[in-house]
Amino acid sequence: MTDTPVAEPATTPAPKPAKPLLPLPPLVDRLTDALGYPRLESADDQPWRGGTESWVVFLPGHGKGNAETADVAVILPELVRVLSPHLKPAVAGPAAEQALLARAGMMSLPALVFLRGDDLLGSIPRVRDWDDYLERIAAILLGPHAPSSRLQ
């Protein structure tokens, strides 16, 4: 009798466990509940389409648990207050966030995305210094050589 090697059954690696989805900080809900910012639930929620107003949409990073999300949720109302009437704010729900990420290109979250009419004007990922926000927003809304003082 000859020793015939017996084939071992193929094993497939165990799938990686899914990362748990983490809740957003309560400060994000404050934007919609207390301050009245629209919450964009679906990919079709696009109130900037066809209009002439500039919108800033907060992408909080649903399920990511990023510590900077709460910081941006505090900074956004201050930006809107200072830049009023130049910006209309909104908060993206999970589906709207994914649609905007697909359109803008993947970026670090949380992020602020700026839109007007049918145009994606630009974005600012993560937390920034106050002056950096003002300079970047002026460049996004008015062009790269615009002084931020034109917005105030």
Side-chain angles (χ1 to χ4, degrees):
M1 180 183 236
T2 60
D3 288 330
T4 307
V6 178
E8 297 274 335
T11 59
T12 57
K16 291 181 180 179
K19 290 182 180 178
L21 295 179
L22 301 171
L24 293 175
L27 288 166
V28 175
D29 288 332
R30 175 183 165 266
L31 297 174
T32 57
D33 297 345
L35 299 179
Y37 293 7
R39 184 182 306 269
L40 310 177
E41 293 296 347
S42 78
D44 295 330
D45 287 345
Q46 301 177 23
W48 54 86
R49 297 290 301 236
T52 58
E53 297 173 313
S54 297
W55 285 77
V56 56
V57 181
F58 179 31
L59 309 184
H62 291 275
K64 307 286 187 211
N66 189 319
E68 290 185 0
T69 297
D71 295 334
V72 176
V74 170
I75 294 167
L76 179 58
E78 292 304 310
L79 288 170
V80 170
R81 183 183 60 77
V82 168
L83 299 174
S84 180
H86 300 287
L87 285 177
K88 292 187 61 97
V91 177
E97 182 174 85
Q98 288 307 308
L100 285 168
L101 283 172
R103 184 172 175 196
M106 295 310 249
M107 68 183 85
S108 297
L109 296 178
L112 301 176
V113 176
F114 299 84
L115 304 116
R116 182 185 312 124
D118 295 331
D119 298 325
L120 175 95
L121 304 174
S123 62
I124 303 174
R126 316 288 309 241
V127 173
R128 305 290 175 178
D129 291 330
W130 183 255
D131 290 338
D132 191 29
Y133 273 120
L134 295 179
E135 288 172 17
R136 286 175 183 244
I137 293 170
I140 288 168
L141 297 181
L142 302 172
H145 304 294
S148 60
S149 62
R150 284 187 45 202
L151 288 176
Q152 297 174 359

